[in-house]
Structures are given as structure tokens and as C-alpha cells.
Amino acid sequence: MRTQTIEHTGTPQPQPTLPSRDLISTHDLASHEIHALFNLTSMLKQRPADFRSALAGKQMVMFFEKPSLRTRLTFEAGMDSLGGSTLFVDQTASRIDARESLSDIAHNLERWIDLIVLRTFNHATIEEMAAHADVPVINALSDLEHPCQALADLFTLQEHFGDLSKVHLAYVGDGNNVAHSLLLAGAALGTSISIATPTGHAPLKTVVEAAEAVAEETGAAINIFTDPREAVAGTDAVYTDVWASMGKENEANTRNAVFAPYQVNAELMADAASHALFMHCLPAHRGWEVTDEVIDAPNSVVFDQAENRLHIQKAILMWLLGGGIGRLPVRSAHA
């Protein structure tokens, strides 16, 4: 097992307080760990030059079964800005384990590089890689969760509102991987979340129940609706995502008809608080889940979210590679 250290240059650099392990699910993080991660994110965002050699000599490999703009570039730019290097393997033409077992792949990778980033269809692929690899593994998106996105989103809300336990977020649309991660991370931080989806498209019951269990400890309110106006009423931010996620494009026509009443437009935003922000993880299908009027409005923070993907992922890299503490056993909530 490797021992990780941070190289210091000039200004003393803070050591992350989180133990080095994997990031598979937002449910893997306790409230105090997310707050520590956010504190590190703020420092990295405000003083990037102080961390230019923090991960010098570290190597990251990324395997992507799905296309990407923000995830790939922010991880690559983030690793580069910390002094490390990145290797990218395009798996969009075939699954990662098409040629050999994940176990064999993991045992090869752990001897060559320091960290593995996976963007996959099957969440179990990430769990299995983490179970076999003796280096940290990051979930850069699976069909079940998108933890890096949710952490960037909640960090963005913290920048705008401060205390996240006083924030009420509404999510309208498909109960997909983004919705799952927002539920779990938001509950950990005491952020109240209302979700509105069409019947049959709600978040998974197991994820909702896990979020509700955490919310009982943090005081967050978790509400699942079918009426978008009921979910949005009086909230501090309104979030939506595409109606047909990657891998479900063949369902787009059917889904567009089902989800039409869930479009975030000026009329729906009027039900939220007057200071409410609009959020979207991007890419957006303008004219479908959101109108131009809403996504281009002054209260839209979609590009703040996109920028913060870079900063939160740099913090995650520092946490996993710069902590100098042995990895803990994999403990994904969905194993």
C-alpha cells in the first residue's frame, strides 16, 4: 500500500483532514467531511498558485464509457494545475471490462498509477474496481450517482447563501443519478430538498430512504412530489436536468411528452422565492427542460456550477492523494 505526501513549496499548504479512500457515492461522506472538503475547495479556488506542486509526480488515469465535456476537462485541468499528470482511455466504443476482468485491470493499474477515475454506465463497475484496486477510485458518473456534480452544486449554493442548513432546493424532472446524489449530499448537510417527477420517474426508493435516514440526524426535510409547483413553492433554488440521460436517448420522444409539464420556465420560477437561483448540471436541452429565458437570466448559476466542478475536483484529488493516510475499506451505500 502506498504512502502519500504533499510536496510543499513556498507558502505552507494545509493538509486535508479527510482520510484517503475512494469516492464512490455521496453517501460515503459524513457531514463534517463534506464541510472539510468545501473548506479545502475554497482555499484552492482563492489561492490556486499555492498548490501548483501539491500533487507533483502523481498520475491519474480516466476511463470514460460516456462522452464528457465538463467532467473530463475539469479533472484534467485540475490535476495539471496541482502538478500531476493525466492519462485518458476512451471507452465509449466498448465497456471497460470487455477485454479482461475488472479485477485484472485493477491490479495492473494499481502498479502504474496513483488514482483511477471512472465514468460508466453500471455503478457496479466502479464498486468492483474500487474493491480490487489498491489506489483511490473516483466515481465521475454512473447511472446511479454523480457525486462530484452534487458536491460542486452544493458548494455553489454555499457560496451564494452561506449556511446550507437554511437552504431549500427544489429539483424538477427525472429522478436520475444527479437527483440521487443531491438527495444524499444535501441530507448530510441539512439542506432541505423537494423533488418533483412524473409518476414512474421518481428517485429510487432505496436512495430516498437513505437520504431520509440521514436527514433525521441533520434536520433536513426530504419531500417527493409529482406536482412541480408544489415542489418549487418558496424554495431558494430550482434545479433541473435533461429528461433523457445518456443511454436513454432512444426514449427521448416519449419522455419529452411525459416531462413537458415539468419544464422550468418563467411561470414555474415565479413560484420559488424572489431570490431563487436556477441550476442545471449541463448540457442543457434548451426549449425542453428549461427555457432560454430562465437559463440565461441573471439568477442562473449554471456556469458557477460548471466552474466549481474544477475546484471541488481539485479538492477531491488533494484529499485522496495528498492525505498521507492509508485507505479505508470500500463502503458504498449501494453495494
Side-chain angles (χ1 to χ4, degrees):
M1 185 174 291
R2 305 171 186 221
T3 300
Q4 317 288 355
T5 58
I6 298 178
E7 294 184 14
H8 294 274
T9 56
T11 305
Q13 301 177 31
Q15 293 281 352
T17 59
L18 306 177
S20 182
R21 56 181 193 232
D22 307 300
L23 179 57
I24 300 173
S25 165
T26 45
H27 200 44
D28 291 340
L29 298 171
S31 175
H32 72 275
E33 293 176 314
I34 300 177
H35 284 298
L37 198 60
F38 283 4
N39 289 338
L40 180 57
T41 301
S42 294
M43 283 187 279
L44 287 159
K45 185 173 183 177
Q46 295 165 14
R47 298 158 39 202
D50 291 347
F51 300 87
R52 283 181 295 195
S53 300
L55 297 182
K58 301 298 183 183
Q59 292 182 307
M60 171 179 71
V61 65
M62 302 196 298
F63 290 83
F64 280 28
E65 293 179 347
K66 297 186 178 187
S68 172
L69 173 65
R70 279 153 294 278
T71 300
R72 177 177 177 178
L73 291 182
T74 52
F75 264 117
E76 289 185 344
M79 189 61 162
D80 182 76
S81 70
L82 295 170
S85 58
T86 302
L87 304 168
F88 181 78
V89 182
D90 185 354
Q91 294 285 168
T92 54
S94 64
R95 298 294 183 264
I96 294 170
D97 58 353
R99 294 180 60 244
E100 55 185 309
S101 71
L102 283 171
S103 173
D104 286 354
I105 295 171
H107 292 318
N108 278 273
L109 296 176
E110 68 188 8
R111 295 177 179 231
W112 301 332
I113 51 84
D114 301 286
L115 182 139
I116 303 165
V117 178
L118 300 177
R119 184 176 173 91
T120 70
F121 286 91
N122 192 346
H123 188 76
T125 299
I126 299 171
E127 293 180 321
E128 187 176 348
M129 183 72 80
H132 292 292
D134 195 28
V135 293
V137 174
I138 296 175
N139 177 359
L141 179 142
S142 71
D143 282 349
L144 183 63
E145 278 205 58
H146 199 351
C148 298
Q149 179 68 57
L151 291 169
D153 297 335
L154 287 159
F155 179 77
T156 302
L157 286 173
Q158 180 176 280
E159 286 186 313
H160 284 270
F161 294 118
D163 187 353
L164 287 172
S165 68
K166 298 179 180 178
V167 173
H168 189 173
L169 170 67
Y171 177 96
V172 177
D174 188 24
N176 60 13
N177 49 6
V178 173
H180 290 161
S181 288
L182 286 171
L183 276 169
L184 294 167
L189 295 170
T191 304
S192 294
I193 299 182
S194 295
I195 291 185
T197 70
T199 300
H201 296 277
L204 289 176
K205 183 180 179 180
T206 53
V207 175
V208 175
E209 289 175 346
E212 289 174 338
V214 174
E216 287 183 7
E217 301 177 4
T218 63
I222 305 295
N223 295 292
I224 309 297
F225 301 101
T226 56
D227 182 352
R229 297 193 64 176
E230 191 173 3
V232 166
T235 55
D236 301 298
V238 179
Y239 197 124
T240 194
D241 192 6
V242 296
W243 293 338
S245 298
M246 284 179 285
K248 297 183 178 179
E249 292 86 353
N250 61 330
E251 302 176 17
N253 290 338
T254 301
R255 283 174 168 261
N256 288 346
V258 171
F259 283 88
Y262 294 80
Q263 182 187 72
V264 179
N265 48 38
E267 181 181 0
L268 185 62
M269 287 296 297
D271 290 328
S274 59
H275 61 260
L277 304 176
F278 172 73
M279 307 183 78
H280 195 303
C281 52
L282 302 179
H285 294 165
R286 292 166 175 260
W288 293 105
E289 74 269 9
V290 62
T291 62
D292 286 340
E293 181 182 13
V294 169
I295 197 171
D296 293 329
N299 63 327
S300 172
V301 294
V302 297
F303 298 118
D304 291 349
Q305 294 170 259
E307 178 188 344
N308 284 333
R309 291 291 304 280
L310 171 67
H311 306 302
I312 198 77
Q313 284 158 195
K314 288 172 68 174
I316 291 168
L317 293 172
M318 285 281 291
W319 160 39
L320 294 175
L321 292 177
I325 302 173
R327 295 167 65 238
L328 298 178
V330 178
R331 58 180 186 90
S332 171
H334 310 292

